[in-house]
Amino acid sequence: MQFKPALIACVATAALASTVALSGCSGSASSASNADCEHTYTIGFSHPIGEAEVIKALKSLAKDHATKVGCVELLLDSTTGMKLESQRATVESWVTQKVDAIVLWPVDSTAFAGLQRQAQSQGTKWLTYLTSMDGQNGSVGFDNKLQGQQIAEDVTAWIKKNYPNGGATAAVTTLTTLPPSRPRYELPIKAIEAAGIKVVSEQNCTDQACGLQIAEDALREHPDLRIFVGLSDESAIGAMKAFKNAGVDPSAVYIAGQDGSPEGLAAVKQGGMYRASSAIPMDALAASIVDAAVAAVTGQGEPNQVTPTVLAKADDPKLLADLISNFERKG
């Protein structure tokens, strides 16, 4: 099974760039329909939270990138709500089909160990997304530590300017069930406390409903709550609604989220209390899913890829526009 020479060069070049730009080879790649290929490589991508807007965009952009690369068919899992049975059934079907590569974020790694052995024994490459499994052939993800550092530095600067002598409290949402995400909340908590602000709430939460509830409860018990850092933009958006409902002066509030969701980026762009989002460039992450899998299959390029996050703020409108455009062209 071999790619055409021109396509190998294109994929190898793309794999070396964290933000993949195929302009140099997109002309030939986009014109190379799968029907013209000596072999079409089949890649399965499974993410267990398919209902999230950011994941919908990620899947769509990955599909687009597979089309640009050419000679690649990308299969997508429809699992939602971290449902293990649904994800396992999908991945099992891919193993039965003997696809060329599988990229997944497993709900429970131990539940997939047998399928991994079966897949690899028949030549299917096994790559992970945002986690790791023994014996994997590659990985795709973004830097949780960098995300935490970006928010930690931003909130520290805001506190020094607005509450240099204390006088406020903070809340941070967490996800202790997902160890790789720890830097996303541990680093901001450490920075806030180092700046002299007490963190009065640390609770697991990734959606708007719990973000709203946590902020409402915290504001009731601590009327001086003025800082809220969400593990996700979703939880931070929920908190923003609570602050607005409580009539708190936006100029006295710092809210930040992570991931760069459509609503989070829109809130940052609008200005006011939603100060920042540590955002994942979705186009680059989507491209890395395809490129890493192709590299693992062909041995050409880098099968382990990390997409750096960027800090989206209202004073950088170009960056915001670039990030938002990923969702506008998700198709």
Side-chain angles (χ1 to χ4, degrees):
M1 298 188 298
Q2 294 295 323
F3 275 121
K4 296 171 182 176
L7 183 58
I8 291 175
C10 171
V11 171
T13 300
L16 291 172
S18 58
T19 54
V20 180
L22 286 174
S23 58
C25 49
S26 60
S28 59
S30 60
S31 63
S33 71
N34 286 352
D36 299 327
C37 301
E38 295 175 4
H39 177 83
T40 296
Y41 291 82
T42 306
I43 299 167
F45 173 55
S46 174
H47 192 295
I49 313 176
E51 70 274 24
E53 285 299 317
V54 291
I55 304 308
K56 292 176 184 176
L58 178 66
K59 289 179 175 178
S60 181
L61 291 166
K63 271 276 190 185
D64 289 347
H65 187 71
T67 301
K68 290 177 182 175
V69 169
C71 303
V72 173
E73 181 183 4
L74 184 66
L75 307 178
L76 299 173
D77 184 5
S78 59
T79 295
T80 59
M82 299 284 283
K83 293 174 185 166
L84 173 60
E85 290 150 1
S86 171
Q87 185 183 43
R88 191 178 157 76
T90 299
V91 174
E92 193 167 4
S93 74
W94 292 342
V95 173
T96 301
Q97 293 175 53
K98 297 185 177 179
V99 299
D100 294 293
I102 294 172
V103 183
L104 86 160
W105 179 18
V107 173
D108 178 358
S109 296
T110 58
F112 287 89
L115 280 174
Q116 179 188 2
R117 287 194 294 274
Q118 182 181 346
Q120 290 177 311
S121 69
Q122 66 190 22
T124 297
K125 300 302 181 183
W126 191 271
L127 297 89
T128 57
Y129 175 95
L130 287 182
T131 188
S132 63
M133 294 177 68
D134 290 343
Q136 66 189 23
N137 300 110
S139 63
V140 175
F142 49 88
D143 192 336
N144 286 288
K145 184 177 180 181
L146 178 60
Q147 281 192 298
Q149 288 173 336
Q150 288 170 338
I151 296 298
E153 291 173 5
D154 195 59
V155 70
T156 297
W158 190 85
I159 291 171
K160 286 182 178 178
K161 182 177 180 181
N162 294 275
Y163 293 98
N165 301 311
T169 55
V172 178
T173 64
T174 60
L175 189 57
T176 54
T177 55
L178 187 65
S181 71
R182 284 178 183 164
R184 296 172 63 158
Y185 54 86
E186 288 182 342
L187 293 176
I189 289 172
K190 185 177 180 181
I192 291 168
E193 291 178 339
I197 300 295
K198 184 178 181 181
V199 178
V200 297
S201 174
E202 298 178 28
Q203 298 183 57
N204 284 355
C205 170
T206 59
D207 61 43
Q208 291 194 24
C210 59
L212 173 65
Q213 188 65 57
I214 289 171
E216 286 180 340
D217 293 344
L219 279 167
R220 193 176 305 114
E221 296 177 18
H222 304 278
D224 63 346
L225 183 77
R226 293 295 181 271
I227 298 165
F228 193 102
V229 174
L231 179 91
S232 65
D233 280 305
E234 295 297 308
S235 55
I237 288 289
M240 183 175 68
K241 293 177 180 175
F243 278 92
K244 287 183 175 178
N245 293 340
V248 180
D249 178 6
S251 67
V253 177
Y254 177 97
I255 296 176
Q258 300 180 63
D259 288 339
S261 75
E263 277 193 89
L265 295 172
V268 172
K269 182 180 179 181
Q270 187 175 14
M273 68 176 73
Y274 207 103
R275 309 285 174 178
S277 174
S278 180
I280 306 160
M282 284 296 152
D283 51 351
L285 180 60
S288 74
I289 292 168
V290 175
D291 294 339
V294 169
V297 173
T298 64
Q300 303 279 338
E302 177 53 67
N304 296 286
Q305 299 198 22
V306 176
T307 298
T309 57
V310 293
L311 189 66
K313 292 178 65 73
D315 60 3
D316 192 344
K318 184 179 183 309
L319 176 61
L320 269 174
D322 289 344
L323 292 167
I324 291 171
S325 70
N326 281 322
F327 297 97
E328 294 173 340
R329 61 187 175 88
K330 69 178 182 179

